[in-house]
Amino acid sequence: MALVISTTSAVASIFVSSGSNAVLSIALSYAFLIATALRLIQSAFSEALHPTQNGGSVIYSTNGFLAQPDKPDRSTSDLVAVVVRDVAAAAALCTAVAAMTVESFGGLAFRALLGAQDDRWAFSQTILSALYGLGIVMVHIVMFGSLLVMVQREQAFTTSFVPLYAAVCSQLIIDFSASRLWFGALCAISTFVFLDDTGTVPTGGKMKLRISKLLMLVTVASFIALAWFSWQQPYTRSALGHYGQVSNDADMAPPIKQYDPLQYTNNRVHPVDQLVRDAEASWLATLQRQSQSLEAAVMEYKRRYGISPPPNFDKWYEFAKRKGVTLIDEYDSIYHSLLPFWALPPTTLRARVREALGFGGNNLMGLLLRDGKAAHVEGGQEWLQQAATGMMAQFVQHLPDMDLAFNVHDEPRVVVPHDELSRLVSLAVQARQHAASAQASPKNAFSARPRDVKNNKRIAEVKTTRFNVFAHQPTWIPSRMSCSADSPARSLDDNALDNLTAYALGDLGFIYNHTAFSDICNSPSFGSSHGFFDRPNAFNVIHELFPIFSQSKMSSFQDILYPSPWYWYGKVSYSELRDMDWKTKISSLWWRGSTTGGFSRDGGWRRQHRQQLVGKLNALDTAKVITDTKLADDVSPQYEVKEVARENFKELMDVHFSGVGQCDPGDCDAQKEFFDVTPPVDQQDAWKYRYLLDIDGNAFSGRFYAFLKSRSLTFKMAVFREWHEEWIKPWVHYIPLSLRGDEALETVRYMSSELEGKQQAIRMAEASREWAGKVLRNEDFEVWSFRLLLEYGRVVDDNRESIGYSGS
């Protein structure tokens, strides 16, 4: 009873501040394991000192092996030494194996985080891991040896509380909280009260009984209070758990007013530091849980999506492994983008593709797959045709016969009203995929070519189209159609507030969840602050669900994303020979570009994202920064927000337009007069700077991958989504910026001035460079496209509910 009460109290003192089920389970298992082990050790001591087995001719050591026959003249110290030797040896062996396993022998955990590839780095990490393992072994030998001596002197029951007390005290020292102190005190008091066999607490029997009952009542009341408090705080925990970026609940608080950013309450740690560390930990967990076999990949697929993988999934897996792809399981965006299409009959989907391709004014590229080959392609630029066919050349033989429609515009094309989209998704999940999940042994093959997919090399002409052309027109109203009626973007109030709570942190609005930030349904202000919604350069849109493949899209659109041929074709190059070492780079945020992003008419450039961000970063007004105001004798920082003149930090910003276009003559002239337009530069000049800014243009920015491959650190302001949303992690591989840009100056200042920021900037720049070399290769684009087209091939198959790969 004493062990149960004190153990659960100690575990509570560890758990209440960490809030982790993993911590709870580890604490419980470790506590009971130690208590059991020490009790067995005590039995071994007793057997060694008073042998009963075989008349005392042999003794048993705790590792289960027979020891040599007991000699009559063997002393107690000799017997203790035998037990200590055997237990310490077993503990050392087990700990060494565990340490090497956890560290993956070679620092693979750290290697995965940093993305390092060279053999020299791997060898050094191997040595480091070996030394780490040996160090842990030595620590455990000392610890278990000390516990054994205590068992011999103080008995196992009393000794078993030592690890508990050590855990509680270490947690209090590392991260003090009143709740931890309270439960830690309960743990200590219960030990003394229930173990009062030696008169530690000088009270009589009745008094001891009263104290015991009181302690029990206090303990039960404490756990009830803890449970009640946890249930009364669902908002903070659920919000952070859903968005998965900030892990320390103690540093967060709900907003003061509705839709305000989450409050950041830890003034001892800079918010950028916290965001980076949390993102790195989350990313490392993602890397470590990737499937390592085909069977594991199939099981993970079924766990995530509830159905079997598509046919030829084994061919895809073998192709991915042969190409050295790192991420085997992270393809959720494919599933979600194709989900609504399950609701439409395959014949309808195929007919809509033919209709879209048959009208020339729709500006689509058609690609016809027949008999395992790209039989015909038409529409679009020549490089686009070459890239699209080249990306699938090594796996096209595993795809079914089908017609594909590719968007040749930068801007997305398909947005479906929310009520219809909801109906499509509901039907897809409850009927179509439910039927597919019921198939225990689906057929691992696509169906034969349907009759409506002709075996020819031409696209039949269509006289009418359902696409509408709204080039150079405001597009916010049609773009928000797929948002729910109760979302901020669909508010009846023209001055509706953005839901900053979903993605912004602190007074400066750091982006802690980039997915929520790029969800336009959260931000009605995007309608008057992003060029795509003001007047897009092209907008040829349809409001029915058509399967159109696009290179990027806004969150509200239903285009099917695929890796951009722009990247596969190498349209923006990175010259490593012209790149520079971090130490020699200029410590400024650099950007050069033109006024793309929307067409400016009647002063509309003032409502467009590039102009607003460039204007803010070069303004002569004030900005907010976070400064350390600690006293001279204070060890920890004391961060506070204060307002400063932007002029004081102008050397940190080198952000300028180098061209003005996509505007009426009057608007072009106004922008040339308002902005400090600089001469055009060579793209390779960017590598002179430590911090590179990437901003949305008419759609996605084509320079992002080149920036990631460089030795500089990338800052990215993007509302457009691309295929790589799950493969490139904000705060690990790049710094996300908001459309408002209030946090931009402070983030650059922190990275260039603070000690922790400088270290993180170098680490992130190198991590992004190494990671880009592993997942932004042409091979990675091909593997992702292969997976996408297998999934799409099943959706347009007449027997889609009965085909799939169930396993070997």
Side-chain angles (χ1 to χ4, degrees), residues 17-18 175 236 240 245-252 264 266 274 278:
S17 186
S18 64
D175 189 6
T236 302
L240 297 178
Q245 285 287 328
V246 181
S247 63
N248 192 347
D249 291 8
D251 296 337
M252 313 298 299
Y264 184 70
N266 187 355
Q274 186 69 52
D278 289 340

Side-chain angles (χ1 to χ4, degrees), residues 410 551 564 566-567 570-573 610 683 694-707 716 722:
D410 294 332
Q551 301 170 51
S564 172
W566 177 275
Y567 295 129
K571 296 290 283 185
V572 175
S573 62
R610 284 194 169 186
Q683 174 62 41
D694 190 58
I695 316 176
D696 278 348
N698 289 332
F700 72 99
S701 170
R703 296 183 287 186
F704 184 40
Y705 292 180
F707 283 2
K716 185 172 181 63
E722 298 180 67

Side-chain angles (χ1 to χ4, degrees), residues 581-600:
D581 186 78
W582 178 272
K583 295 180 180 179
T584 62
K585 292 175 181 281
I586 301 171
S587 185
S588 298
L589 182 67
W590 182 91
W591 182 81
R592 294 292 185 275
S594 60
T595 57
T596 57
F599 189 87
S600 180

